[in-house]
Amino acid sequence: MQSFEEIDFFSDNSLTYDPQPYFEYLRSKGPAVRLPQRGVVAVTGYDEGLAIFRNEERYSSYNAAYGPNPLPFEPVGDDITDQIASNRGDRSTFNMISTYDPPDHTRLRLLLKGLLTPKRLLENEQFMWRLADGMIDEFIGQGSMEFISGFAGPFATLVVADLLGVPEEDHKKFRRIFTEAGMRLGSIDGVPPQESNPLTRITGHFYEYIEDRRKNPRKDVMTDLALTKYPDGSLASVDDIVNLSAFLFAAGQETTVRVMAAMLMFLCEDPALQARLRAERSLIPNFIEETLRMEGTVKTGFRLNKVQTEIGGVELDPGTPLMLVISAMNRDPAKFESPHEFRPDRSNAREHLAFGRGIHACIGAPLARAELKVTLERMFDQTSDIRFDEAKHGPAGSRKLDYVPSYQARGLAELHIVHDAKA
Amino acid sequence: MATITFIESDGTAHAIEAKCGWSIMENATKNGVPGIVAECGGSQTCGTCRIYVSAEWQTKMDSPTADEVSIIEFAEDRTPGARLSCQIEMKEHLDGLIVRMPEKQYSM
Ligand code: HEM
Ligand code: FES
């Protein structure tokens, strides 16, 4: 095996199972450290990372989806703000809400905020309870299942479909679109071909919906979506609405699904904890936060430094890519006591950065939290015990768990469980 | 230029030079004031940027919208004068503003 010094975090598969020893090695060099490869500076300190998340004026999100790849331009001068703006082209990699800086970002974010009102979120949560019941009914009699493809994936898809007002008769179609699609985010295995990209198909459906509702408005959520307005009162462009809708499916899918699996994994690993949570449901929200802290899906995020600056003792020239190692910040011992221990009653668990912070902070966080809670509550309601399927994952002490190969995403590839239905 | 003083629940005060045009939340988080978590970055979904504003100062601000009120209710904070600091833009005439902060921004 290569030493941590030599390892290329962005292409090496040996770190996908457990990246924490590597992150601890980075931390031992300081809260920020320049990696020998690709000129990326990795930030593992909680305070340092939080300050970067909150400073969009100095740190651009230009490379949020582009990661550590070499910039398509040569940074010149002491402020590259203009260069960033003129090098976005029309590649989607540089033209998504998550990669925009103000004022483009502000425009899209305000549209999203208009979609995720407290009222809409409440209605969406009511849908989640119904959906979970229906979906658990599909497998409860089988005794065992692969949880990600059998529940979590389709559940997360349909929750976003409902949020956006996709008519229920089309839910089956949306479910199918995602069933075949694999992991894409920061994939070490290379980028899957475009034709298997579910988003292209989602976009097609949304163009139809929005155009139809603009011609034939009805009393439904999709009509509200079609008639969304910018803050100045003008009608939003169809492109903005369609792209944001597709983005919500992408952003809300893998992320939520892998945390759902992590949640069950912790409960399979620790039957006493499972029994305690079943008996004391009020402990569930903090258990969810601790799961997000320990196994949040977004392992790393990227920013581009715009001006000369310094972080944790490292000098940064304009144009330096920063890797915010969220999974390491969430285990910073200066912030979290015994950070590698899973403590469901940790008092500051919710201060994790699993949803990021600042202007790009996950706008789906309330939705994700509700999905995690509803899933666990309903699994508890309908089963009396959940455990690893040892035929697939092996016995305690020598478990085989595979994680998705990605430098950006963290999560189980599959989770096979055995469950006892409640009598 | 204007100033805002943020007071923690234990009485610790943080006076900052505020930027007009930014929300009160942005002024706090960008100056590292502890006690304003602002999980959602100002999208009015998290309720973790709460402040308490005296009745006198409130008369100089726009009143909260229905959505702001419902987020505060959802956070189960019934303290008088509770507002979301991300929904209040700092303006010249708020110079000298004093706000208090909750002991915890999370109800759980
Ligand atoms: C547990 C599940 C989730 C996790 C761990 C997660 C994590 C994150 C993180 C870390 C970011 C910030 C990225 C950055 O700053 O560069 C983000 C952004 C975002 N998330 Fe999530 N997310 C989750 C679920 C969701 C869901 C369910 C939705 C939507 C329905 C969603 C929609 C978004 C959007 C739209 C953004 C971009 C916001 C912007 O750039 O302004 N996420 N998410
Ligand atoms: S920052 Fe989230 S509601 Fe104000």
Side-chain angles (χ1 to χ4, degrees):
Chain A
M1 206 183 121
Q2 283 177 308
S3 72
F4 284 152
E5 184 79 42
E6 296 160 339
I7 229 163
D8 179 17
F9 176 68
F10 304 104
S11 64
D12 199 302
N13 239 328
S14 68
L15 297 176
T16 52
Y17 177 72
D18 182 10
Q20 291 296 338
Y22 176 67
F23 294 155
E24 284 307 321
Y25 155 80
L26 295 180
R27 195 193 309 285
S28 73
K29 310 218 139 192
V33 51
R34 196 178 301 277
L35 302 181
Q37 300 86 6
R38 312 189 197 216
V40 172
V41 170
V43 182
T44 57
Y46 182 97
D47 288 341
E48 289 77 7
L50 182 58
I52 296 169
F53 272 126
R54 284 174 163 174
N55 193 340
E56 72 282 359
E57 296 189 318
R58 190 172 289 170
Y59 307 105
S60 166
S61 282
Y62 179 77
N63 57 344
Y66 191 62
N69 297 302
L71 290 179
F73 62 90
E74 191 63 47
V76 286
D78 48 16
D79 184 346
I80 61 164
T81 304
D82 293 340
Q83 266 190 303
I84 288 174
S86 58
N87 278 283
R88 289 190 183 268
D90 50 16
R91 282 174 68 180
S92 64
T93 314
F94 300 118
N95 291 284
M96 301 187 267
I97 181 172
S98 58
T99 69
Y100 278 143
D101 298 324
D104 284 328
H105 174 262
T106 321
R107 181 187 86 233
L108 295 178
R109 182 94 183 177
L110 286 169
L111 279 187
L112 271 188
K113 180 181 148 184
L115 291 180
L116 294 161
T117 57
K119 175 168 166 284
R120 194 70 208 97
L121 288 170
L122 211 64
E123 291 166 351
N124 190 226
E125 184 173 331
Q126 286 156 359
F127 170 79
M128 289 179 202
W129 292 105
R130 277 191 284 134
L131 178 65
D133 278 339
M135 289 187 59
I136 294 175
D137 285 344
E138 290 175 21
F139 66 76
I140 190 73
Q142 295 166 16
S144 68
M145 72 174 313
E146 199 285 294
F147 178 72
I148 291 174
S149 57
F151 180 88
F155 182 80
T157 303
L158 296 185
V159 166
V160 176
D162 173 77
L163 179 80
L164 295 171
V166 171
E168 289 215 28
E169 62 266 26
D170 288 353
H171 281 192
K172 274 212 181 76
K173 245 190 314 201
F174 277 75
R175 191 166 168 172
R176 237 177 295 123
I177 292 177
F178 277 98
T179 321
E180 297 304 313
M183 184 77 193
R184 308 179 67 85
L185 193 70
S187 178
I188 286 173
D189 292 344
V191 178
Q194 186 67 18
E195 57 274 17
S196 79
N197 185 348
L199 293 188
T200 322
R201 295 172 62 191
I202 296 275
T203 315
H205 285 301
F206 272 87
Y207 273 112
E208 279 174 34
Y209 289 138
I210 302 299
E211 274 161 16
D212 171 64
R213 295 304 194 280
R214 284 197 170 178
K215 275 192 231 121
N216 316 298
R218 304 182 209 168
K219 255 192 144 25
D220 66 2
V221 176
M222 188 61 82
T223 304
D224 294 345
L225 179 67
L227 301 180
T228 307
K229 295 195 168 64
Y230 295 121
D232 70 4
S234 62
L235 195 61
S237 76
V238 180
D239 283 342
D240 271 357
I241 298 178
V242 168
N243 290 334
L244 276 179
S245 300
F247 190 83
L248 285 184
F249 277 99
Q253 185 69 23
E254 284 298 330
T255 46
T256 316
V257 167
R258 307 292 159 186
V259 180
M260 282 183 187
M263 200 166 67
L264 289 201
M265 178 197 72
F266 284 124
L267 295 176
C268 290
E269 234 159 42
D270 187 345
L273 175 61
Q274 185 177 149
R276 197 173 143 216
L277 285 190
R278 281 177 183 276
E280 265 184 274
R281 301 277 183 102
S282 62
L283 300 175
I284 289 177
N286 210 61
F287 164 78
I288 290 173
E289 298 307 324
E290 181 69 347
T291 303
L292 285 161
R293 184 187 73 83
M294 288 288 282
E295 289 289 320
T297 329
V298 184
K299 195 155 56 176
T300 60
F302 291 84
R303 292 293 187 272
L304 193 62
N305 175 41
K306 299 204 287 189
V307 293
Q308 190 72 35
T309 182
E310 181 255 302
I311 298 166
V314 179
E315 276 296 321
L316 305 179
D317 290 333
T320 307
L322 292 168
M323 174 164 72
L324 303 177
V325 191
I326 296 177
S327 299
M329 295 171 191
N330 283 344
R331 304 216 190 174
D332 185 339
K335 179 73 189 174
F336 301 104
E337 191 186 300
S338 306
H340 298 293
E341 257 171 52
F342 188 87
R343 294 185 179 173
D345 29 30
R346 185 184 290 279
S347 65
N348 66 348
R350 191 170 159 172
E351 291 179 40
H352 63 70
L353 299 175
F355 293 119
R357 284 288 171 81
I359 63 166
H360 288 279
C362 182
I363 201 157
L367 209 97
R369 288 188 163 114
E371 289 182 77
L372 295 165
K373 185 186 72 181
V374 168
T375 297
L376 199 53
E377 290 271 5
R378 279 301 188 249
M379 289 292 280
F380 281 174
D381 288 344
Q382 304 223 31
T383 65
S384 55
D385 186 50
I386 301 168
R387 48 200 185 274
F388 284 118
D389 184 342
E390 302 207 332
K392 305 278 187 185
H393 293 299
S398 56
R399 292 265 191 247
K400 288 197 315 271
L401 294 168
D402 286 332
Y403 287 81
V404 292
S406 164
Y407 59 79
Q408 217 166 359
R410 166 74 179 164
L412 289 168
E414 293 181 342
L415 178 63
H416 297 269
I417 57 169
V418 175
H419 52 272
D420 300 332
K422 241 185 203 157
Chain B
M1 220 22 125
T3 68
I4 309 176
T5 305
F6 294 87
I7 303 178
E8 291 184 65
S9 63
D10 68 1
T12 314
H14 306 266
I16 59 154
E17 287 290 335
K19 194 163 146 178
C20 294
W22 277 2
S23 68
I24 293 181
M25 177 278 281
E26 281 177 282
N27 273 296
T29 54
K30 293 193 165 145
N31 283 290
V33 174
I36 301 287
V37 180
E39 230 178 47
C40 75
S43 290
Q44 200 177 226
T45 58
C46 72
T48 64
C49 62
R50 297 191 314 284
I51 51 171
Y52 307 125
V53 184
S54 70
E56 202 188 324
W57 279 111
Q58 292 243 23
T59 59
K60 301 187 177 168
M61 301 170 173
D62 292 337
S63 15
T65 61
D67 278 348
E68 182 179 337
V69 172
S70 72
I71 294 287
I72 294 169
E73 277 168 7
F74 193 71
E76 296 182 1
D77 192 341
R78 291 182 190 86
T79 316
R83 296 290 310 262
L84 297 179
S85 60
C86 67
Q87 299 304 309
I88 306 168
E89 187 183 318
M90 186 57 191
K91 301 209 172 103
E92 215 54 69
H93 74 270
L94 295 177
D95 181 21
L97 177 66
I98 298 172
V99 302
R100 289 176 306 113
M101 297 182 288
E103 187 188 342
K104 281 182 80 170
Q105 291 283 4
Y106 301 116
S107 49
M108 58 169 228

